[in-house]
Amino acid sequence: MTIEAGWNLDNSYARLPKSFFSSHKPTPVRAPQLLILNESLAVSLGLDVDALQSEEGVAELAGNRLPEGASPLAQAYAGHQFGHFTMLGDGRAVLLGEQITPLGERVDIQLKGPGRTPYSRGGDGRAALGPMLREYIISEAMHALGIPTTRSLAVVSTGEQVIRETALPGAILTRVAASHIRVGTFQYVANWGTVEELRTLADYTINRHYPELAADENRYLLLLKEVMKRQASLIANWQLVGFIHGVMNTDNMTISGETIDYGPCAFMDTYDPATVFSSIDTEGRYAYENQPYMAGWNLARFAETLLPVLHDNQDEAVKLAQEEISNYSNIYQAYWLEGMRKKLGIFNEEDGDESLINDLLSMMEKQGADFTNTFRALTVSKPDETGLSGTQEFARWHSRWQERLTRQKEENVSVSVEQLMQSSNPAVIPRNHRVEEALEAAVEQGDLSVMERLLAVLSKPYAYTSNQEEYCTLPEPSDEPYRTFCGT
Ligand code: AMP
Ligand code: MG
């Protein structure tokens, strides 16, 4: 007996102009096996867990069989990659359709690694198991941290090998996203489409992500403003937990404001603003400290794509776009400061807050303190565990901070300083050595239990429970800096 999987797919993207995508089916794989299924996500999407685990369900998650109502396609997009503009598109992804959830939300269901598409260029359209499990872990950790992100529904192994530097086991990730519309999607249409098509894409995006703007005659300028806000908030969130994306190319920046494309990303241990993990980012373009600027750069590219619909007069359009973009750094800074205040348990505003925060950060940098554990130690009132104690400078800073906390009235707010700090400072993050350990067990030994335990701990980063403690320890000191790779 087959159980209905609960697919409720619509295909609004497939109804857009034909040049926006290529209708394209996944290429079947030899021997799909379900390795991990995100049961709570499945349920929230209205999908049946047993059905997804059945032979038919697994075949759907592998691209061997199309879910009912699917209209598979690869999306066209362009992008500035490390500053260079190129035509790209889904080279190793296929959108099956948009699931309408029981709550009436519309989310993209995309297979990552389903074989070659018309946009694959020299690539094989496939993905290796390690990087797909890595995306699963980090995206789910980000979600649990409360940071907007694409989600991971499942990973299946394909029973086939992919050839990278060596032969690796192949896999397919099912990715769930508010949409996959990127800055690069707008760049593609602005460059190669008509103004009419650009308006179609902008209206589609507004209806999907910013419906409250749809009736406004200034909606394209407002779209720019809202995307800037969501991105500024997103990047501030990354900075506040020490997340480094690694490839903030314009094709990896969503219009929905979700984090997307977990390639060479990683969380920082030791606080060092110049931290870079990606092996290909030799210039440090996407270093931790540069992320806010690079987001601003990408948003300026987004603004450029909108020029033809902002105003009939190009000079006026440029003026409008420039005015908006010039606000970005203030908007970002306000989100960052708001978040940093919370990390220190501060819920009112004083002029000196920024220097209080920056003085802490500069001590952390000087002492090589661990980013997460320093804030965790302050949260649980164990200043000795900040990695900073023992200096006069820290003692002075600490009493300055304590005094600052006395200048706010807890009666005026619904949470205490401790609660505010606990809900703003994760006790656990996906530390690189823990992620590597989980991936090694899964990929080398076929043992997923290490990853499952890690996922369970990462699902409650603000819980401050004793079972988290073993996940808070730092890696053994190493001569080599941690490196992540793009050849995913
Ligand atoms: P990413 O680094 O994942 O953001 O990918 C950048 C571009 O390269 C996108 O257009 C991808 O679809 C494409 N791409 C990455 N890996 C592959 C692959 N194995 N086969 C085909 N295209 C790929
Ligand atoms: Mg990408």
Side-chain angles (χ1 to χ4, degrees):
M1 192 188 76
T2 29
I3 326 165
E4 289 295 322
W7 291 112
N8 183 21
L9 293 170
D10 186 35
N11 303 281
S12 65
Y13 210 86
R15 296 192 287 272
L16 288 171
K18 292 280 168 263
S19 59
F20 288 16
F21 60 89
S22 297
S23 292
H24 179 83
K25 287 197 189 74
T27 307
V29 296
R30 202 164 58 83
Q33 243 192 322
L34 181 61
L35 297 187
I36 189 153
L37 176 67
N38 193 332
E39 298 192 8
S40 60
L41 177 61
V43 170
S44 73
L45 294 173
L47 297 173
D48 186 281
V49 168
D50 291 331
L52 286 176
Q53 287 170 327
S54 72
E55 204 180 320
E56 290 86 356
V58 176
E60 290 171 351
L61 297 170
N64 284 11
R65 171 192 153 117
L66 287 177
E68 199 186 331
S71 184
L73 60 87
Q75 293 177 325
Y77 55 83
H80 273 95
Q81 299 200 302
F82 290 89
H84 303 286
F85 188 69
T86 340
M87 174 59 200
L88 295 161
D90 286 332
R92 49 140 179 197
V94 163
L95 178 69
L96 295 177
E98 303 133 27
Q99 174 78 354
I100 310 299
T101 72
L103 293 177
E105 283 163 350
R106 175 183 296 270
V107 291
D108 278 7
I109 305 289
Q110 192 203 59
L111 299 183
K112 191 165 171 180
R116 286 180 55 77
T117 77
Y119 310 108
S120 292
R121 297 171 291 164
D124 59 4
R126 292 294 184 195
L129 176 58
M132 294 305 100
L133 292 176
R134 195 163 187 281
E135 170 154 348
Y136 189 111
I137 296 170
I138 312 244
S139 64
E140 288 305 303
M142 289 289 267
H143 172 73
L145 285 164
I147 300 177
T149 176
T150 61
R151 304 283 309 272
S152 297
L153 178 64
V155 176
V156 294
S157 57
T158 58
E160 296 176 4
Q161 291 196 320
V162 296
I163 309 301
R164 297 295 180 256
E165 272 157 24
T166 55
L168 299 169
I172 294 177
L173 170 83
T174 305
R175 179 156 76 177
V176 179
S179 85
H180 286 83
I181 304 168
R182 308 145 190 266
V183 168
T185 315
F186 277 81
Q187 290 182 299
Y188 166 73
V189 176
N191 252 273
W192 288 290
T194 63
V195 175
E196 215 30 63
E197 285 173 335
L198 180 63
R199 211 170 268 123
T200 301
L201 175 63
D203 284 332
Y204 175 84
T205 305
I206 289 169
N207 285 326
R208 199 155 164 188
H209 299 301
Y210 305 89
E212 65 285 358
L213 310 180
D216 201 299
E217 61 177 312
N218 286 324
R219 61 187 177 279
Y220 305 124
L221 189 64
L222 294 173
L223 172 66
L224 173 59
K225 205 192 271 285
E226 292 304 313
V227 172
M228 269 173 51
K229 267 201 239 163
R230 283 200 202 174
Q231 281 295 336
S233 161
L234 178 70
I235 309 302
N237 274 315
W238 292 358
Q239 300 303 96
L240 294 166
V241 297
F243 174 77
I244 300 171
H245 182 281
V247 252
M248 289 177 66
N249 294 332
T250 55
D251 50 300
N252 291 337
M253 181 182 257
T254 61
I255 303 298
S256 67
E258 286 182 343
T259 311
I260 195 172
D261 266 5
Y262 291 87
C265 63
F267 282 72
M268 169 167 72
D269 292 311
T270 303
Y271 178 64
D272 176 2
T275 305
V276 173
F277 292 117
S278 171
S279 60
I280 58 167
D281 192 2
T282 46
E283 309 269 301
R285 180 179 169 96
Y286 300 131
Y288 174 77
E289 64 190 340
N290 286 346
Q291 295 191 126
Y293 302 101
M294 292 323 306
W297 191 87
N298 289 349
L299 288 164
R301 305 289 78 74
F302 177 52
E304 282 167 5
T305 69
L306 293 175
L307 291 177
V309 295
L310 287 182
H311 203 285
D312 290 340
N313 178 315
Q314 277 306 279
D315 292 340
E316 282 300 315
V318 170
K319 222 170 94 193
L320 287 170
Q322 272 171 348
E323 257 171 42
E324 277 313 322
I325 289 294
S326 67
N327 294 327
Y328 165 77
S329 56
N330 287 337
I331 298 172
Y332 165 77
Q333 188 64 15
Y335 280 118
W336 180 82
L337 192 54
E338 183 190 329
M340 272 294 175
R341 280 199 177 98
K342 288 185 181 161
K343 284 175 85 71
L344 290 178
I346 299 173
F347 38 71
N348 64 351
E349 294 179 14
E350 274 186 17
D351 285 346
D353 293 343
E354 202 165 340
S355 79
L356 184 73
I357 294 159
N358 284 329
D359 290 350
L360 172 65
L361 291 174
S362 74
M363 265 185 298
M364 287 166 63
E365 184 179 356
K366 234 175 7 195
Q367 310 276 340
D370 180 81
F371 186 78
T372 304
N373 285 355
T374 300
F375 285 101
R376 178 169 168 270
L378 293 174
T379 303
V380 296
S381 302
K382 289 187 177 160
D384 288 355
E385 294 177 12
T386 53
L388 301 172
S389 61
T391 65
Q392 284 258 321
E393 193 185 7
F394 178 68
R396 272 199 305 273
W397 181 88
H398 195 266
S399 43
R400 211 171 120 210
W401 174 49
Q402 290 300 308
E403 267 169 49
R404 172 66 184 87
L405 292 179
T406 63
R407 293 196 297 277
Q408 57 184 3
K409 291 202 171 56
E410 287 195 23
E411 307 90 77
N412 297 345
V413 288
S414 56
V415 292
S416 64
V417 165
E418 197 195 358
Q419 284 167 332
L420 183 61
M421 289 184 71
Q422 270 201 18
S423 60
S424 312
N425 294 310
V428 282
I429 50 155
R431 290 195 187 269
N432 303 318
H433 64 297
R434 287 298 195 170
V435 174
E436 293 300 328
E437 174 189 73
L439 295 181
E440 199 182 304
V443 178
E444 309 296 332
Q445 280 107 48
D447 171 10
L448 277 117
S449 66
V450 184
M451 172 166 163
E452 279 159 8
R453 272 202 308 280
L454 177 64
L455 285 168
V457 168
L458 293 174
S459 71
K460 294 189 177 66
Y462 304 109
Y464 283 81
T465 47
S466 56
N467 71 336
Q468 294 177 324
E469 266 158 39
E470 61 170 305
Y471 290 88
C472 301
T473 52
L474 304 183
E476 295 291 319
S478 155
D479 298 338
E480 297 289 321
Y482 184 68
R483 282 278 167 265
T484 53
F485 298 91
C486 241
T488 51

